[in-house]
């Protein structure tokens, strides 16, 4: 490592400095309401190439472009269906990404070679201020090394990106803790490609036809065509072997108690799930708490040197679907039915 990444506070002076870095073609760590992003000028091919290098991200995995006002959508997309406008009005600014036909101004490197682009208007005031001060839409994937858990605080970004990017704005801990809901449109239907804080139930208020892509819950076969390239990559993985145990709290404790406990750490939904003599992290009782805490817990499991992580099985509905979608990838789809 040849230099130390600078951590900036989220004052106006710092945001303006970060915007200068972005205008000069650099990459900056940016807080959002979901997870931290690695932001650069979405129109600048060389700057976007630096994002891919910093993350070690496969070139065919597209980046989300972040805007700060609805007017900017036409500078990023080439076509905006009426249903997309209704979704934008209902959920922006906020944790929703819409996949739309790409405006030619967006270079192919940003869209991973696709003719569509994922667009989102974040609600986090620092992210919005940074987009405005930079004067361009910002391409920003999650600010982790490719494959590792997404960062939900500036320290996580520093751990993965120190010496790879010039600066990170520290905006504290991210509220949602899981990345945005990614959707695309099929006539009058909305299809969820990645679940998040904006749930299927919430989208149903805009259109009755809400579909969930099968890649959300199931492993994509190698070589299969996917609706969203991110689905086919290994994701969110700590070094430990993660296994989901699907059953009651009692069955979970019993399983852990009757199996080899060396190097085991448990992810539980409350103190009552904890087995005797086994370290655990409580990620919370509600789906919202679990979403907020999951990535931090996966990183902590590594720091504590766990070799096996047994996790309780999240709910499939509401925000729980987002927790399940991330955890099942961290677990490489290993689920044991109790
Ligand atoms: O909350 C978020 O979305 C965060 C913050 C920083 O905004 N960003 C984020 O970006 O999670 P990333 O790159 O880690 O995940 C983007 C996902 C990937 O799975 C990618 O394949 C998918 O969105 N995606 C992006 N553009 C797409 C497109 N044009 N078509 C299909 N999927 C797309
Ligand atoms: Mg990511």
């Amino acid at each position: 490592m040849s230099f130390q990444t600078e951590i900036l506070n989220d004052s106006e002076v710092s945001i303006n400095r970060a915007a200068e870095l972005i205008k000069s073609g650099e990459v900056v760590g940016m807080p959002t309401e979901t997870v931290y992003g690695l932001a650069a000028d979405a129109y600048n091919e060389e700057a976007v190439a630096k994002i891919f290098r910093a993350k070690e991200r496969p070139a065919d995995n597209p980046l989300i472009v972040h805007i700060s006002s609805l007017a900017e959508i036409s500078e990023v997309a080439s076509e905006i269906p009426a249903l997309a406008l209704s979704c934008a009005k209902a959920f922006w600014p906020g944790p929703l990404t819409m996949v739309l036909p790409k405006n030619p101004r967006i270079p192919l490197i940003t869209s991973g070679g696709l003719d569509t682009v994922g667009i989102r208007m974040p609600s986090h005031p620092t992210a919005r201020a940074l987009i405005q001060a930079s004067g361009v839409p910002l391409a920003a994937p999650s600010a982790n090394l490719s494959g590792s858990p997404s960062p939900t605080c500036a320290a996580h970004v520093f751990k993965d990106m120190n010496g790879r990017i010039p600066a990170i704005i520290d905006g504290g801990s991210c509220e949602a803790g899981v990345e945005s809901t990614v959707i695309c449109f099929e006539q009058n239907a909305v299809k969820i490609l990645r679940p998040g804080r904006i749930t299927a139930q919430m989208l149903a208020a805009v259109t009755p036809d809400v579909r969930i892509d099968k890649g959300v819950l199931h492993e994509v076969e190698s070589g299969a065509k996917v609706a969203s390239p991110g689905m086919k990559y290994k994701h969110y993985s700590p070094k430990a072997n993660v296994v989901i145990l699907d059953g009651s709290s009692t069955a979970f404790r019993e399983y852990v108690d009757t199996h080899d406990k060396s190097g085991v750490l448990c992810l539980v939904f409350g103190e009552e799930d904890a087995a005797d003599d086994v370290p655990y992290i409580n990620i919370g009782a509600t789906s919202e708490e679990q979403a907020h805490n999951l990535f931090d817990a996966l990183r902590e499991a590594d720091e504590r040197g766990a070799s096996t992580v047994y996790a309780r099985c999240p709910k499939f509905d509401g925000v729980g679907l987002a927790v399940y979608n991330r955890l099942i990838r961290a677990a490489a789809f290993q689920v044991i039915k109790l």
Side-chain angles (χ1 to χ4, degrees), residues 34 37 57 61-62 64 66 99 116 120 141-142 179-180 194 227-228 230:
T34 57
R57 183 176 176 107
N61 197 1
I64 292 171
H66 297 69
V99 174
T116 56
R120 134 165 155 83
S142 52
E179 309 87 339
S180 61
R194 180 177 72 180
S228 180

Side-chain angles (χ1 to χ4, degrees), residues 177-198:
V178 287
E179 309 87 339
S180 61
T181 305
V182 178
I183 59 170
C184 65
F185 300 95
E186 293 178 335
Q187 284 94 39
N188 284 321
V190 162
K191 191 174 189 186
I192 298 179
L193 302 177
R194 180 177 72 180
R197 252 294 181 84
I198 305 294

Side-chain angles (χ1 to χ4, degrees), residues 30-38 55 57 60-66 95-100 110-111 114-120 122 140-144 150 178-182 184 193-194 226-231 233 235-236 326:
M30 158 180 92
T32 85
E33 71 279 19
T34 57
V35 300
Y36 275 71
L38 278 186
K55 266 186 78 83
R57 183 176 176 107
D60 68 348
N61 197 1
L63 308 184
I64 292 171
V65 175
H66 297 69
L96 180 75
T97 296
M98 304 197 288
V99 174
L100 295 175
T110 303
S111 68
L114 299 175
D115 55 9
T116 56
V117 60
I119 308 173
R120 134 165 155 83
S142 52
N144 51 290
S150 294
V178 287
E179 309 87 339
S180 61
T181 305
V182 178
C184 65
L193 302 177
R194 180 177 72 180
V226 288
S228 180
M231 286 173 179
Y233 293 109
H235 254 118
Y236 317 119
R326 305 316 189 270

Side-chain angles (χ1 to χ4, degrees), residues 244-325:
I244 298 174
L245 301 181
D246 183 6
S248 67
S249 173
T250 313
F252 180 88
R253 269 200 324 271
E254 250 172 46
Y255 183 95
V256 176
D257 258 334
T258 52
H259 287 75
D260 184 5
K261 292 180 184 171
S262 59
V264 168
L265 183 142
C266 293
L267 294 191
V268 301
F269 296 161
E271 308 293 321
E272 70 281 3
D273 300 342
D276 288 341
D277 317 322
V278 179
Y280 66 91
I281 300 171
N282 180 0
I283 65 169
T286 66
S287 296
E288 285 74 12
E289 286 169 350
Q290 291 161 18
H292 179 79
N293 294 323
L294 178 66
F295 288 139
D296 186 55
L298 291 175
R299 282 175 179 262
E300 192 182 327
D302 269 352
E303 262 154 40
R304 288 166 69 168
S307 52
T308 301
V309 171
Y310 289 129
R312 287 214 60 203
C313 188
K315 291 199 192 94
F316 284 17
D317 64 343
V319 178
L321 187 66
V323 181
Y324 183 78
N325 169 268

